[in-house]
């Protein structure tokens, strides 16, 4: 990967060639596909969700079985979108039931968008993995490797929680009517209560007559799990990729401080004899190269994710407002209210995590040189201070993860989405009140 023209213009004072040679030496001794190892659990979630894996990132033991499973889960997802979508657009449906079908249809549409994006971008994802390995990950610094390992553990815990919280209840919820029917053989009082399906949908047959009833309940349970697993697995991957960039930014921040002040309280005259100045110049040139590489990686990640993120943020607004309307409505069952409330909570946590990570990468990039700036950087030789001034100016341009350049992932964006969803909810509530008058 090459730096942008602005990077080349700003950093012309540095000799980068020695740093590139150093990377080549490291590349001879360190294994490949390191980023795939850092996000190994997230790739496992991709497999569980039936999403297209980045080309060459992992080796499957039974690839044909996986491809069959992937196609089958995609069929369930698309079929679920069609059956719920037809019911959503059907006439003579109450606004509450339409919202209840609406948020499930929107979530399924979001899942379809993500599975298509994974398939189209699988080679680009693989290229990003290689770029990370070649330019960032293959560093001999133990502190960086240790920080990345700790980050992998944290992302694994976060991804596990999100996956279980959003996917775990889906199969029992979709198959709940069938469970009640089986239970009615033991408790006769439940016999009249099992003739319903979890999510209102239209089928080319009567879904309340056996054996179609059993097929529909199993279908909706499996489809709900497939839809939500794709949603969460896709987001968990970006959690891992952004957090790795944040870890690298923190490492650059710490290393910049030591470069600016190489003496650290020791005698300057002694260190000068040992060639500290040449070492400082070399470390500074290496730092600049890593900063350029990191900026390019962030831009590449934006190109991969930003179109999908824009659609995701728009659909999340509609999902939250329709869900909130279902929860506030008194015309649905308690089970539907509980399900909708849980989905609202999960969507909010999912969205907040995404926006918080976007805020974190921006904050870390803006404060990249702060610790070094408050050192006595001006006491360095002139050729070093002039280079530091360029770095200070370049660091004023933050790294950002955006939704197609329209919205930056940040806490403010999260507040805006929740506020917009609440406004739409109030509009729906007013429409309902007028319809009852």
């Amino acid at each position: 990967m090459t730096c942008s023209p602005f990077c080349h213009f700003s950093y012309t004072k540095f000799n980068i060639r020695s740093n590139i040679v150093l990377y080549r030496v490291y590349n001879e001794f360190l294994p490949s596909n390191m980023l795939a190892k850092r996000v190994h659990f997230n790739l496992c979630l991709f497999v569980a969700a039936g999403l297209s894996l980045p080309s060459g990132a992992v080796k499957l033991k039974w690839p044909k079985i996986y491809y069959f499973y992937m196609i089958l889960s995609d069929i369930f997802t698309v079929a679920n979108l069609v059956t719920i979508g037809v019911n959503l657009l059907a006439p003579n449906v109450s606004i509450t039931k339409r919202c209840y079908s609406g948020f499930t249809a929107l979530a399924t549409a979001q899942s379809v968008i993500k599975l298509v994006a994974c398939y189209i971008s699988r080679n680009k994802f693989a290229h990003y993995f290689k770029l990370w390995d070649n330019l960032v990950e293959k560093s001999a610094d133990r502190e960086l490797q240790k920080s990345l390992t700790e980050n992998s553990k944290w992302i694994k815990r976060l991804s596990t929680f999100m996956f279980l919280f959003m996917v775990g209840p889906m199969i029992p919820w979709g198959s709940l009517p069938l469970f009640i029917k089986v239970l009615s053989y033991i408790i006769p009082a439940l016999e009249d209560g099992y003739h319903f399906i979890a999510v209102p949908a239209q089928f080319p047959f009567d879904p309340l007559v056996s054996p179609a009833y059993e097929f529909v309940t199993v279908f909706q349970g499996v489809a709900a799990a497939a839809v939500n697993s794709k949603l969460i697995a896709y987001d968990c991957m970006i959690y891992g990729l952004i957090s790795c960039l944040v870890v690298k930014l923190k490492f650059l921040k710490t290393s910049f401080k030591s470069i600016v002040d190489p003496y650290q309280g020791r005698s300057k005259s002694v260190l000068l004899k040992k060639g500290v100045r040449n070492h400082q110049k070399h470390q500074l040139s290496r730092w600049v190269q890593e900063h350029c590489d990191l900026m390019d990686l962030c831009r590449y990640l934006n190109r991969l994710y930003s179109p999908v993120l824009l659609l995701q943020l728009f659909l999340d607004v509609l999902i939250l407002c329709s869900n909130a309307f279902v929860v506030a409505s008194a015309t649905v069952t308690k089970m539907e209210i509980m399900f909708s409330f849980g989905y609202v909570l999960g969507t909010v946590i999912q969205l907040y995590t995404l926006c918080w990570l976007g805020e974190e990468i921006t904050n870390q990039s803006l404060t990249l040189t702060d610790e070094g700036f408050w050192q006595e950087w001006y006491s360095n030789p002139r050729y070093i201070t002039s280079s530091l001034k360029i770095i200070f100016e370049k660091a004023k341009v933050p790294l950002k993860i955006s939704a197609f350049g329209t919205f930056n992932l940040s806490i403010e964006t999260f507040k805006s989405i929740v506020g917009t969803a609440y406004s739409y909810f109030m509009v729906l509530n007013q429409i309902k009140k007028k319809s009852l008058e």
Side-chain angles (χ1 to χ4, degrees):
M1 182 185 295
T2 57
C3 299
S4 64
F6 185 76
C7 291
H8 282 301
F9 177 77
S10 300
Y11 290 180
T12 52
K13 293 178 182 267
F14 299 111
N15 179 12
I16 306 300
R17 293 181 181 177
S18 59
N19 186 40
I20 295 176
V21 172
L22 189 63
Y23 273 122
R24 288 176 179 172
V25 173
Y26 290 153
N27 291 349
E28 294 296 327
F29 297 96
L30 295 177
S32 60
N33 292 327
M34 288 189 173
L35 183 58
K37 295 179 181 179
R38 301 297 180 195
V39 292
H40 176 262
F41 184 78
N42 305 78
L43 289 172
C44 291
L45 293 183
F46 257 54
V47 173
L51 291 172
S52 297
L53 292 165
S55 301
V58 292
K59 293 182 179 179
L60 297 170
K61 193 172 183 180
W62 298 291
K64 292 184 179 180
I65 295 177
Y66 172 69
Y67 294 144
F68 173 76
Y69 168 71
M70 184 175 67
I71 294 172
L72 189 63
S73 66
D74 291 349
I75 291 174
F76 271 95
T77 303
V78 174
N80 192 60
L81 175 62
V82 172
T83 56
I84 298 175
V86 170
N87 185 80
L88 172 66
L89 301 176
N92 301 324
V93 178
S94 66
I95 186 171
T96 304
K97 290 293 184 182
R98 199 178 294 276
C99 284
Y100 191 72
S101 296
F103 88 84
T104 51
L106 292 170
T108 308
Q110 192 179 132
S111 180
V112 171
I113 291 170
K114 290 182 176 180
L115 72 88
V116 171
C118 285
Y119 178 77
I120 294 175
S121 304
R122 63 190 186 281
N123 292 326
K124 294 181 180 179
F125 271 111
H127 185 57
Y128 180 86
F129 278 42
K130 292 179 182 178
L131 291 174
W132 176 276
D133 288 350
N134 293 333
L135 303 175
V136 179
E137 176 69 72
K138 292 182 178 178
S139 171
D141 192 280
R142 293 182 179 179
E143 289 299 322
L144 174 61
Q145 299 299 331
K146 181 179 179 181
S147 298
L148 288 170
T149 301
E150 291 297 323
N151 177 72
S152 300
K153 295 178 182 178
W154 179 79
I155 288 297
K156 180 179 179 180
R157 289 192 289 266
L158 173 65
S159 301
T160 302
F161 168 76
M162 290 299 300
F163 199 84
L164 293 178
F165 185 78
M166 293 294 288
V167 180
M170 292 300 108
I171 291 181
W173 168 250
S175 303
L176 181 64
L178 183 60
F179 173 75
I180 294 178
K181 178 181 179 180
V182 174
L183 199 62
S184 67
Y185 294 116
I186 304 173
I187 307 175
L190 297 175
E191 186 175 359
D192 296 331
Y194 72 81
H195 280 89
F196 71 98
I197 55 177
V199 181
Q202 294 288 339
F203 295 92
F205 49 81
D206 187 355
L208 299 180
V209 178
S210 295
Y213 180 77
E214 288 76 12
F215 168 78
V216 167
T217 52
V218 172
F219 163 75
Q220 286 203 336
V222 175
V227 166
N228 285 275
S229 61
K230 293 179 190 297
L231 289 176
I232 298 302
Y234 187 88
D235 279 10
C236 286
M237 180 59 73
I238 194 174
Y239 296 162
L241 298 180
I242 295 178
S243 63
C244 285
L245 292 179
V246 171
V247 170
K248 182 61 179 178
L249 281 170
K250 291 180 179 179
F251 175 76
L252 286 181
K253 181 189 295 187
T254 304
S255 60
F256 184 74
K257 179 181 178 181
S258 62
I259 293 172
V260 171
D261 184 19
Y263 303 106
Q264 299 179 354
R266 291 176 287 178
S267 172
K268 294 186 179 181
S269 60
V270 174
L271 291 174
L272 282 172
K273 294 179 181 180
K274 295 181 179 181
V276 171
R277 292 302 185 189
N278 291 333
H279 179 71
Q280 183 184 19
K281 185 178 179 180
H282 171 73
Q283 291 297 318
L284 198 58
S285 66
R286 178 182 175 184
W287 189 94
V288 170
Q289 179 64 57
E290 291 183 347
H291 188 207
C292 287
D293 295 340
L294 205 58
M295 288 188 290
D296 288 337
L297 280 170
C298 188
R299 294 189 190 100
Y300 196 94
L301 195 63
N302 262 316
R303 291 196 294 270
L304 280 174
Y305 275 99
S306 60
V308 179
L309 287 175
L310 179 62
L311 293 172
Q312 179 175 345
L313 296 182
F314 173 72
L315 293 176
D316 278 345
V317 170
L318 300 179
I319 289 172
L320 286 174
C321 73
S322 58
N323 249 321
F325 183 79
V326 171
V327 172
S329 175
T331 59
V332 293
T333 65
K334 293 181 179 180
M335 290 296 297
E336 290 174 332
I337 291 176
M338 290 177 59
F339 175 73
S340 298
F341 177 77
Y343 207 88
V344 167
L345 184 61
T347 303
V348 168
I349 295 174
Q350 176 189 7
L351 185 61
Y352 178 81
T353 304
L354 197 60
C355 291
W356 177 78
L357 284 170
E359 177 98 359
E360 186 69 10
I361 195 172
T362 300
N363 291 339
Q364 291 297 330
S365 62
L366 283 173
T367 60
L368 195 59
T369 59
D370 284 4
E371 294 185 12
F373 182 80
W374 295 110
Q375 305 297 315
E376 295 182 2
W377 61 272
Y378 44 82
S379 64
N380 286 281
R382 187 172 181 179
Y383 65 88
I384 294 292
T385 56
S386 60
S387 301
L388 291 174
K389 290 177 183 178
I390 297 174
I391 293 176
F392 291 145
E393 287 299 316
K394 185 61 180 178
K396 291 181 180 179
V397 181
L399 302 183
K400 296 179 181 179
I401 303 296
S402 66
F404 214 58
T406 306
F407 303 101
N408 295 323
L409 292 184
S410 63
I411 300 301
E412 289 300 319
T413 300
F414 172 77
K415 293 178 181 177
S416 177
I417 290 173
V418 174
T420 304
Y422 179 75
S423 300
Y424 288 172
F425 161 73
M426 294 302 294
V427 171
L428 288 175
N429 206 29
Q430 290 296 325
I431 294 174
K432 180 187 176 184
K433 288 181 179 178
K434 289 182 180 181
S435 64
L436 294 176
E437 291 178 357

